[in-house]
């Protein structure tokens, strides 16, 4: 008797990746085994035609069995809609994946909001700063970060989240055996080391292609409660993920950018057409507080009608809970605001590390941000 996952993989191979026929077939038949047993007339009655119908009538399962065996032999796992651990958020989207291939921990999307943090591959300095700031703030507030694993915005968000000890689900546009992109190999290793996940709709051997990114994008947004666009020019592939999010009924957030910055034109347009403008991680987290009461505020600044609390601090005695990097940043902060790049230069820390440390200091009311990405000590 065949492992039931073989039938799911056979069905995935017959339909193709991201195919919308899966939902119709599962409504007509009780299981993939029943679809496998169905004849041409029964399949045709479900709307199957052409090449797809031909593949569904091909009952060869050796390929599917080998895919399953190879995946399991390498220590990876396979999820199908029949599994309780299959992400529930994916069950209701158009063209839910018939099979998910994963490495690392199976993600639990019930412990906090899952936010896909995305941005263009060619981030400006501003884009890098806000991407790192938002990702680290979300993690400190209890969110899970979903990333596309690409260069640019994906890499910056992943690095900042990991620096804060966060969990990341990286959704790849290729098989798990593909080292793509090579430049992010260390990030993928660290993601797994910190209890995160590498996930793909593609089995081993599938290489990156233009179409694979579109399939991956709808999976990223489908797994997320919300999608945050930090920086995107017009025509950016980042906007495709935002479009999927809207079609799937997900929240779309966007960080505003300068009107004279082409790299922000796409994000600004999203805001113009209904995306929620956000300036801090808390403005996203507060949207999910009713669903996840355990969420923590991370970057809360006093409102205009409030007075900031006056605290006397000793420059030489940071509180015990501070991380090593946050303590190092605190040592260089002064009463006069310093630009982020100067703080990075004085501490010899990377920009994501500095921004994560500043978020930690703000959480302890030890630092406050000023206009122009400057920070001073409280």
């Amino acid at each position: 008797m065949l492992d039931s996952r073989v039938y799911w993989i056979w069905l995935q191979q017959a339909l193709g990746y991201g195919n919308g026929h899966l939902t119709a077939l599962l409504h007509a038949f009780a299981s993939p085994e029943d679809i496998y047993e169905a004849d041409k007339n029964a399949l045709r009655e479900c709307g199957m035609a052409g090449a797809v119908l031909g593949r569904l009538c091909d009952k060869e399962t050796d390929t599917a069995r080998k895919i399953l065996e190879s995946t399991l032999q390498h220590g990876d796992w396979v999820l199908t809609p029949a599994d309780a651990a299959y992400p529930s958020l994916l069950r209701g989207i158009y063209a839910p994946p018939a099979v998910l291939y994963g490495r690392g921990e199976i993600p639990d999307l019930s412990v906090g909001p899952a936010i896909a943090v995305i941005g263009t591959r060619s981030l400006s300095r501003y884009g890098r700063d806000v991407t790192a700031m938002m990702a680290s703030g979300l993690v400190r507030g209890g969110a899970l970060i979903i990333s596309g694993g690409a260069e640019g915005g994906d890499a910056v968000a992943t690095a900042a989240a990991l620096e804060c000890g966060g969990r990341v689900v990286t959704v790849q546009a290729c098989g798990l055996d593909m080292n793509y992109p090579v430049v992010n190999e260390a990030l993928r290793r660290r993601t797994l080391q910190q209890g995160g996940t590498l996930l793909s709709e593609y089995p081993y051997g599938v290489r990156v292609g233009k179409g694979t990114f579109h399939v991956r994008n709808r999976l990223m947004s489908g797994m997320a409660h919300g999608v945050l666009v930090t920086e995107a020019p017009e025509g950016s592939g980042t906007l495709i993920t935002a479009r999927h999010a809207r079609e799937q009924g997900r929240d779309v957030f966007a960080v505003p950018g300068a009107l004279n910055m082409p790299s922000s034109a796409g994000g600004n347009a999203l805001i113009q057409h209904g995306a929620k403008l956000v300036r801090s991680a808390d403005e996203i987290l507060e949207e999910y507080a009713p669903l996840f009461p355990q969420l923590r505020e991370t970057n809360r600044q006093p409102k205009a009608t409030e007075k900031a609390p006056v605290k006397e601090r000793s420059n030489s005695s940071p509180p015990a809970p501070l991380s090593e990097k946050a303590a190092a940043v605190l040592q260089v902060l002064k009463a006069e605001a310093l630009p982020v790049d100067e703080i990075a230069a004085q501490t010899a820390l990377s920009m994501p590390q500095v921004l994560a440390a500043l978020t930690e200091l703000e959480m302890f009311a030890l630092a406050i941000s000023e206009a122009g990405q400057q920070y001073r000590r409280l």
Side-chain angles (χ1 to χ4, degrees), residues 117-137 139 145-164 168 170 181 183-184 187 190-191 230-231 350-356:
V117 181
I118 58 177
T120 178
R121 297 189 186 195
S122 302
L123 288 175
S124 67
R125 179 62 177 271
Y126 168 79
R128 295 184 67 86
D129 290 350
V130 297
T131 300
M133 179 185 72
M134 297 297 280
S136 59
V139 164
I145 301 300
I146 294 179
S147 169
E151 298 178 58
D154 290 349
V156 172
T158 298
L162 294 174
E163 191 64 35
C164 295
V168 177
T170 296
V183 69
N184 287 348
L187 282 179
R190 189 171 176 189
T191 293
T230 59
E231 186 178 53
S350 68
M351 190 61 65
Q353 290 173 331
V354 169
L355 290 168

Side-chain angles (χ1 to χ4, degrees), residues 293-313:
Q294 73 275 21
L295 288 178
R296 304 180 298 276
E297 285 194 335
T298 60
N299 303 314
R300 185 177 181 274
Q301 299 297 323
K303 297 178 181 177
T305 56
E306 298 177 349
K307 290 185 178 180
V310 177
K311 298 179 181 281
E312 294 186 1
R313 302 275 185 188

Side-chain angles (χ1 to χ4, degrees), residues 118-125 127-128 131 148-156 171-173 180-184 208-210 212-214 216-217 220 229-233 235-239 241 263:
I118 58 177
T120 178
R121 297 189 186 195
S122 302
L123 288 175
S124 67
R125 179 62 177 271
R128 295 184 67 86
T131 300
E151 298 178 58
D154 290 349
V156 172
V171 185
Q172 295 189 196
Y180 179 88
V182 175
V183 69
N184 287 348
V208 166
K210 185 175 181 180
T212 67
F213 288 103
H214 293 296
R216 180 211 58 183
N217 289 346
M220 287 174 59
V229 177
T230 59
E231 186 178 53
S236 169
T238 300
L239 303 180
T241 307
S263 60

